[in-house]
Amino acid sequence: MLFRSPRPKQVLWTTLGALVVFSALAVIAYVQTNIPNPNQLAAEQSTTIYYSDGHTILARIGDTNRTDVTLKQVPLAVQHAVLAAEDRHFYSEPGISPTGILRALLVDLKGGDISQGGSTITQQYVKNAYLSPHRTLTRKLKEILIATKLGQSRSKSTILDDYLNTIYFGRG
């Protein structure tokens, strides 16, 4: 039996069909995703640091060494420094960065493991407040869906406020 290379029309229709199916699945997943309540760990006024395996606890810092503050109480210089270091396009993106996700995916595929995140501030907040630190494809897909919904349902100020109140800045 001879192998024939597909005709350009076949390639086009197959690609379009796959795109339609993928889009339909993405829409279904998005519609069925709810924003959960923040998990217990994110609500606690302490920080848990894990070993690189993502499971083993290295340290738990503080019992009540945190005080939630409003975004107005955080100096603009600190807000700008966090945005510059973590997510320069925070105010212009929809909660996720498609280019960041693609870049991370390519690096992960090339390296053979999940080492890159491609995460926006919204995604980092979702991971910390709603999900777990475990690096799995399922967790990443949930993170993307919840971050997209969060980006559409909450203001950027609220997301940044919540993020700044859940991350660890170090040294008490």
Side-chain angles (χ1 to χ4, degrees):
M1 181 170 164
L2 293 174
F3 176 75
R4 270 186 342 162
S5 60
R7 294 184 192 140
K9 268 188 174 180
Q10 290 173 319
V11 171
L12 176 66
W13 285 112
T14 302
T15 303
L16 286 175
L19 186 61
V20 167
V21 169
F22 177 77
S23 297
L25 291 173
V27 167
I28 290 168
Y30 177 80
V31 169
Q32 291 187 348
T33 298
N34 294 317
I35 298 173
N37 291 323
N39 67 40
Q40 178 73 20
L41 185 60
E44 290 178 0
Q45 293 295 313
S46 65
T47 298
T48 303
I49 301 171
Y50 293 90
Y51 282 98
S52 62
D53 67 8
H55 303 290
T56 309
I57 295 175
L58 171 66
R60 196 175 302 270
I61 300 170
D63 291 328
T64 57
N65 65 339
R66 287 179 168 220
T67 302
D68 284 349
V69 296
T70 65
L71 194 57
K72 290 178 183 176
Q73 293 173 285
V74 179
L76 267 178
V78 173
Q79 293 179 42
H80 292 163
V82 169
L83 293 172
E86 296 293 330
D87 189 358
R88 289 176 294 178
H89 305 292
F90 174 71
Y91 283 103
S92 63
E93 65 200 10
I96 62 169
S97 170
T99 55
I101 292 169
L102 282 175
R103 175 193 42 77
L105 181 63
L106 290 174
V107 169
D108 290 346
L109 289 173
K110 188 176 178 183
D113 66 341
I114 301 175
S115 61
Q116 291 282 306
S119 297
T120 63
I121 281 178
T122 307
Q123 286 177 264
Q124 290 176 47
Y125 171 66
V126 165
K127 179 188 71 174
N128 292 337
Y130 303 112
L131 302 172
S132 71
H134 307 308
R135 290 180 175 250
T136 65
L137 184 59
T138 304
R139 199 244 36 221
K140 192 66 174 178
L141 292 174
K142 286 179 185 177
E143 177 186 304
I144 289 168
L145 290 168
I146 295 170
T148 303
K149 276 216 164 172
L150 201 64
Q152 291 181 353
S153 65
R154 299 208 177 128
S155 72
K156 291 291 188 176
S157 296
T158 300
I159 294 169
L160 184 57
D161 184 319
D162 292 342
Y163 172 78
L164 291 172
N165 278 299
T166 57
I167 62 169
Y168 178 64
F169 283 104
R171 300 195 183 249

